[in-house]
């Protein structure tokens, strides 16, 4: 009978430890995902900004040497990420594929123009700067028109600022929730041992001596939960980098190391603080209050 009770108590203890560690792991994983998003908000915004294209349409009278010089000067400009020349033949072929019929044969001539598609660096994607760049390019005598989607640029910049603000707000809220959830899990675990705590205190054990094993146990659980969260976070980062290589997540290894260390440290710190205050609460309670 005593062996059965002992096994039951052991299973109950293991189950309690497992639930605490799992709760910590899930909360830290979500917090790590949010941290990853916060650290890469600008990179995501820059990625979308650099998809904005300025199309420089050239006059039919433009000479090949002029076109070549313009492309090279645009490619070397400080604001340019890439500059690609598209002949009107290539443009007609692509447009025909998009609409599903050969419009050149229907019209009898190719109405499109030779062009240079310019993708700007993210720091230069703003309505004011693009207006200046477009005006500078338009001064060329062989440039017919400079076209870009101005409303989209304004919308992109406004939304990028709003998203950054809301992500910071969400980070603060989720951090608070993470602390409260981990704290609740640890407090419930210690609540089941409140009579043991009070018994040790009654036989003369100091508060520091009583707290030490609880703190050390929950710190180990916090470390275990943090390691599980980091494994999940590592898998997620690898998956994102594999499917979206343009974000270059794995190249920013310093940022990733800081994030992983921060998640691990947060698991340890919250576990220590929660255990300290939970045990202190039961140490300060009267014996009669333990039953409520």
């Amino acid at each position: 009978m005593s062996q059965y009770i002992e096994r039951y108590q052991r299973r109950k203890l293991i189950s309690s430890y497992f639930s605490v560690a799992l709760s910590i792991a899930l909360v830290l994983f979500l917090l790590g995902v949010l941290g990853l998003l916060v650290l890469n908000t600008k990179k995501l915004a820059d990625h979308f900004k650099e998809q904005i294209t300025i199309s420089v349409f050239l006059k039919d009278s433009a000479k090949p040497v002029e076109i070549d010089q313009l492309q090279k000067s645009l490619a070397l400009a400080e604001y340019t990420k890439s500059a690609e020349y598209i002949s009107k033949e290539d443009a007609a072929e692509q447009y025909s594929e998009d609409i599903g019929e050969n419009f050149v044969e229907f019209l009898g001539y190719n109405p499109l123009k030779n062009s240079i598609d310019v993708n700007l660096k993210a720091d230069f994607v703003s309505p004011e700067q693009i207006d200046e760049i477009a005006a500078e390019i338009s001064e060329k005598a062989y440039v017919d028109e400079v076209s870009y989607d101005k409303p989209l640029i304004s919308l992109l910049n406004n939304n990028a600022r709003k998203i950054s603000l809301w992500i910071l707000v969400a980070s603060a809220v989720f951090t608070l929730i993470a602390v409260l959830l981990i704290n609740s899990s640890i407090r419930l675990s210690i609540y089941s041992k409140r009579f043991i705590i009070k018994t040790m205190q009654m036989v003369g054990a100091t508060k520091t001596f009583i707290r030490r094993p609880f703190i050390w146990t929950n710190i180990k659980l916090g470390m275990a939960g943090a390691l599980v969260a980091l494994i999940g976070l590592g898998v997620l980062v690898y998956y994102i980098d594999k499917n979206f290589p343009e974000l270059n997540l794995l190249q920013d290894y310093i940022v990733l190391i800081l994030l992983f260390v921060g998640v691990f440290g947060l698991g340890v710190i919250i576990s220590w603080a929660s255990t300290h205050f939970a045990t202190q609460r039961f140490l300060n309670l009267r014996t009669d209050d333990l039953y409520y």
Side-chain angles (χ1 to χ4, degrees), residues 34-263:
L34 191 61
L36 188 67
L37 186 60
V38 169
L39 293 174
N40 290 278
T41 299
K42 186 179 184 303
K43 185 180 290 186
L44 287 169
D46 289 351
H47 170 70
F48 287 112
K49 285 181 179 180
E50 290 175 353
Q51 306 307 307
I52 298 293
T53 301
I54 296 179
S55 295
V56 181
F57 295 103
L58 306 167
K59 295 179 179 178
D60 292 334
S61 59
K63 299 176 182 178
V65 65
E66 293 174 329
I67 296 173
D68 186 57
Q69 287 178 349
L70 179 60
Q71 182 186 7
K72 288 180 178 177
S73 65
L74 288 174
L76 295 174
E78 62 173 349
Y79 51 76
T80 302
K81 182 184 179 185
S82 65
E84 180 185 3
Y85 171 71
I86 301 175
S87 66
K88 61 181 183 179
E89 290 78 18
D90 291 338
E93 183 179 347
Q94 181 61 49
Y95 189 63
S96 295
E97 289 180 6
D98 292 341
I99 64 175
E101 62 177 305
N102 193 330
F103 73 97
V104 176
E105 290 183 358
F106 177 77
L107 294 175
Y109 71 101
N110 185 356
L112 303 180
K113 296 181 180 294
N114 297 321
S115 64
I116 299 175
D117 283 350
V118 182
N119 289 93
L120 303 180
K121 293 178 181 176
D123 293 338
F124 294 90
V125 180
S126 68
E128 297 78 14
Q129 288 176 300
I130 293 181
D131 284 342
E132 292 178 6
I133 294 169
E136 180 184 342
I137 298 173
S138 298
E139 291 176 357
K140 307 289 183 182
Y142 47 85
V143 173
D144 184 61
E145 181 187 1
V146 179
S147 175
Y148 58 93
D149 194 337
K150 190 170 183 178
L152 177 61
I153 294 168
S154 300
L155 183 65
L156 185 60
N157 279 280
N158 291 335
N159 286 341
R161 285 192 291 268
K162 290 178 183 178
I163 290 171
S164 298
L165 175 63
W166 282 110
I167 285 178
L168 289 175
V169 172
S171 299
V173 172
F174 274 98
T175 301
L176 178 62
I177 292 173
V179 172
L180 293 176
L181 286 175
I182 294 175
N183 180 65
S184 297
S185 298
I186 291 175
R187 285 188 65 181
L188 285 172
S189 175
I190 294 175
Y191 177 80
S192 63
K193 303 178 183 67
R194 64 194 185 283
F195 293 109
I196 297 175
I197 292 173
K198 185 56 67 175
T199 301
M200 293 172 68
Q201 188 178 24
M202 291 175 66
V203 298
T206 63
K207 292 183 178 181
T208 303
F209 180 83
I210 296 170
R211 276 197 301 261
R212 189 181 297 123
F214 290 100
I215 289 176
W216 177 234
T217 297
N218 284 300
I219 283 178
K220 287 191 288 186
L221 292 175
M223 293 169 66
L227 287 174
V228 173
L230 292 180
I231 291 171
L233 200 58
V235 172
L236 179 64
V237 170
Y238 177 78
Y239 174 81
I240 294 174
D241 187 73
K242 201 75 173 175
N243 290 274
F244 303 96
E246 61 273 8
L247 295 178
N248 297 319
L249 287 183
L250 292 179
Q251 290 186 5
D252 294 337
Y253 59 90
I254 295 178
V255 172
L256 288 177
I257 290 172
L258 291 174
L259 176 64
F260 279 42
V261 170
V263 170

